[in-house]
Amino acid sequence: MTSYKDFDKEVVKAFPNKEFASFYQFSTQPNMVFTVSKDWHSFDDYVAALSKKYRDQYKRCRKKAEGIEKRKMSFEEIVSLEHTIYDLYHHVAQNAPFNTFFLAKNHFAVMKSALKDQFLFYGYFENGKLIGFNTLIKNGNQMDTYFLGYDETIQREKMLYLNMLYDMIAYSINKGFLLSFLPERHWKSRVL
C-alpha cells in the first residue's frame, strides 16, 4: 500500500481526474493540538478555567474513578502484562470506525525499549487487575498522545476514558508540554 497524505483544499480538486480513478480516497482527522494557556501553571488552573458545567463533569468523572490505581509502568511490567495490554488495545481498535492496521502484540514493549523515558506507559488497575492504559510520547516540547486501551465494561462505569484524557492533560500542563492528540478514533473534543 502506498499512501499520500495532508492535501489541502486546492490540491484535492484534482482528484476527480481520471488519472486518479484507481486510487482509493479517504480522509482522517488531523492531529488536534491542545494549546496550554499562559495562565495555566498547573492542572488546577486548567480546572478552574472550565465552565461550571465542565468543572462539574470533571468532579463527577474523578469521583467515579475512586479506587482505581494509576501508575507508570516499566518495560518489565509492560512485557509481563503484554497479553492483557494487547487485549485492551485490540478491543478499542476493533471498535474504531476506521482502521488500516492492528499493532503487533509486542508493540508497546518495543516502543518502551526503543524510546526509553520518552515513551510513557500508564496502567490503570482495579483490585490489582489491569483494566486500561494510555501512552504518551515526549516529542521535543510537545507531548503526543499515542494508543490506549480499556475494558469497555469498566470504562463506562468508571468513566475511564475521560479520566485518561484528564490525566494526559494534567501531565502536559504540569510538565510544561504542548499536548497533541494524534488522530484518535474515540476522541471526544467536548472534553476540552
Side-chain angles (χ1 to χ4, degrees):
M1 175 169 87
T2 302
S3 67
Y4 300 94
K5 64 183 204 106
D6 299 335
F7 294 108
D8 62 31
K9 289 179 182 177
E10 289 302 311
V11 174
V12 297
K13 290 178 183 176
F15 289 162
N17 297 340
K18 67 179 180 178
E19 54 267 14
F20 295 110
S22 65
F23 285 65
Y24 178 74
Q25 297 176 36
F26 64 93
S27 62
T28 62
Q29 295 175 335
N31 288 3
M32 183 175 125
V33 177
F34 177 76
T35 305
V36 177
S37 170
K38 290 180 258 178
D39 299 331
W40 301 340
H41 303 289
S42 71
F43 184 65
D44 290 338
D45 295 334
Y46 163 78
V47 173
L50 293 172
S51 68
K52 179 179 179 347
K53 173 184 172 182
Y54 289 110
R55 205 170 33 255
D56 289 346
Q57 177 191 40
Y58 167 77
K59 290 174 187 173
R60 185 174 59 255
C61 176
R62 290 305 203 196
K63 187 161 185 64
K64 292 247 182 190
E66 287 177 0
I68 293 179
E69 175 198 0
K70 174 193 167 196
R71 70 173 187 255
K72 187 188 285 188
M73 292 174 61
S74 68
F75 171 78
E76 292 77 18
E77 290 172 304
I78 294 168
V79 169
S80 72
L81 291 169
E82 198 164 79
H83 182 74
T84 303
I85 290 166
Y86 187 79
D87 287 346
L88 294 169
Y89 149 75
H90 196 254
H91 170 76
V92 171
Q94 272 186 312
N95 290 300
F98 179 80
N99 236 328
T100 55
F101 62 90
F102 289 101
L103 300 176
K105 286 190 178 182
N106 67 343
H107 177 80
F108 298 104
V110 169
M111 289 294 289
K112 186 64 173 172
S113 176
L115 296 178
K116 310 269 188 263
D117 291 338
Q118 301 304 106
F119 182 74
L120 305 174
F121 190 106
Y122 288 96
Y124 291 74
F125 296 82
E126 185 174 50
N127 300 320
K129 177 185 175 194
L130 181 66
I131 58 167
F133 71 89
N134 69 47
T135 55
L136 297 163
I137 298 174
K138 294 179 184 177
N139 183 11
N141 70 340
Q142 185 169 298
M143 185 63 65
D144 294 334
T145 64
Y146 196 49
F147 288 93
L148 56 78
Y150 50 74
D151 179 322
E152 180 64 31
T153 59
I154 296 170
Q155 192 295 120
R156 287 190 179 122
E157 175 191 336
K158 299 290 188 175
M159 298 177 78
L160 193 54
Y161 178 78
L162 188 52
N163 273 292
M164 288 180 187
L165 293 178
Y166 285 132
D167 288 343
M168 290 185 279
I169 292 168
Y171 184 91
S172 298
I173 292 172
N174 291 338
K175 299 291 184 178
F177 286 95
L178 299 173
L179 183 60
S180 175
F181 290 94
L182 299 180
E184 171 61 53
R185 289 160 285 287
H186 294 279
W187 175 248
K188 296 173 177 71
S189 59
R190 62 181 171 74
V191 171
L192 306 176

